[in-house]
Amino acid sequence: MEDMSLLAVLGLGLALGIKHALEPDHVIAVSTSAAKSRKVIQSAMTGIYWGIGHTLTMFIFGMAVILMQEQIPETWAQSLEALVGVMLIIVGATTFLSYKKSSLKQEGRSYKTSVFMGIVHGLAGSAALVLLTLSSVESAAEGAAFIFIFGAGTIIGMLLFTTVIGLPFVLTTKKWTMNKGLTQAAGVISAVYGVYYLSSIYLG
């Protein structure tokens, strides 16, 4: 029964991870990176790299807190959440301002930004994940498994999302005006949501 119970908890972790990946601040941020994709595989890899950065950060940070049996101070958690808002504004503004027609012809690309966004989101989500993990498992080993499965869920969820959201950008690669409009719209949405995100943290 205990094994079945643990499997149920891990299954829940996977489902929650997929759901977690599709939170607004995640999909809006990653959309700015997916907007630079010229092929569907590039868009899909954007989600995978985000998920890797997100999962590694949550695993390392979350396990450290669990093993030390400490709680993340509320002021720390709030500051990490605020960092997400700042990031959304920066990547949004950068996406809007740095669009170049020549970029449509580029085949190679870097996924450093995707990894960075995953790391920031991972740090911001660690406080809530630790509380969820502690309420769901009975040992550090089970906690590690839960976080790992949760992370796998976020990778799956974001992979599916970026594959779909990348299609409009890929299909308009040869239509510069339309591609520019879509890309800059993604940038504006990210920046505006970043401002809203920050205001919701500090102004309630």
Side-chain angles (χ1 to χ4, degrees):
M1 291 296 293
E2 290 184 359
D3 290 341
M4 291 298 294
S5 177
L6 178 58
L7 288 175
V9 169
L10 294 179
L12 174 64
L14 182 67
L16 290 175
I18 295 174
K19 180 178 180 294
H20 177 74
L22 302 180
E23 290 184 358
D25 59 303
H26 295 168
V27 299
I28 289 174
V30 178
S31 293
T32 63
S33 188
K36 301 181 178 76
S37 302
R38 303 299 165 238
K39 296 180 179 180
V40 174
I41 186 63
Q42 292 177 341
S43 181
M45 291 303 294
T46 294
I48 292 176
Y49 276 97
W50 176 90
I52 291 173
H54 183 272
T55 300
L56 288 177
T57 304
M58 292 192 94
F59 186 84
I60 294 172
F61 197 60
M63 285 306 299
V65 174
I66 290 173
L67 290 173
M68 291 187 295
Q69 297 183 337
E70 296 286 345
Q71 295 291 335
I72 297 176
E74 186 175 344
T75 53
W76 284 27
Q78 186 180 62
S79 296
L80 291 172
E81 288 287 349
L83 184 59
V84 171
V86 174
M87 178 190 70
L88 287 167
I89 294 171
I90 293 174
V91 298
T94 301
T95 299
F96 181 85
L97 297 173
S98 65
Y99 186 91
K100 295 180 181 179
K101 188 173 183 179
S102 59
S103 65
L104 292 178
K105 301 178 181 179
Q106 295 176 357
E107 293 294 331
R109 58 165 298 179
S110 171
Y111 297 99
K112 292 180 181 179
T113 301
S114 299
V115 175
F116 172 74
M117 289 190 293
I119 290 172
V120 173
H121 279 129
L123 286 172
S126 293
L129 179 61
V130 168
L131 291 176
L132 176 62
T133 303
L134 290 176
S135 66
S136 305
V137 300
E138 299 178 356
S139 68
E142 290 182 0
F146 183 86
I147 294 175
F148 180 79
I149 294 297
F150 181 92
T154 65
I155 294 175
I156 293 170
M158 191 56 76
L159 166 62
L160 295 174
F161 172 76
T162 53
T163 299
V164 174
I165 197 64
L167 288 175
F169 302 102
V170 173
L171 294 175
T172 57
T173 297
K174 297 181 179 180
K175 301 175 182 179
W176 180 73
T177 301
M178 188 178 296
N179 190 274
K180 178 182 180 181
L182 289 172
T183 301
Q184 292 189 327
V188 170
I189 291 172
S190 179
V192 171
Y193 191 81
V195 173
Y196 164 76
Y197 198 86
L198 285 173
S199 65
S200 68
I201 293 173
Y202 292 109
L203 301 179

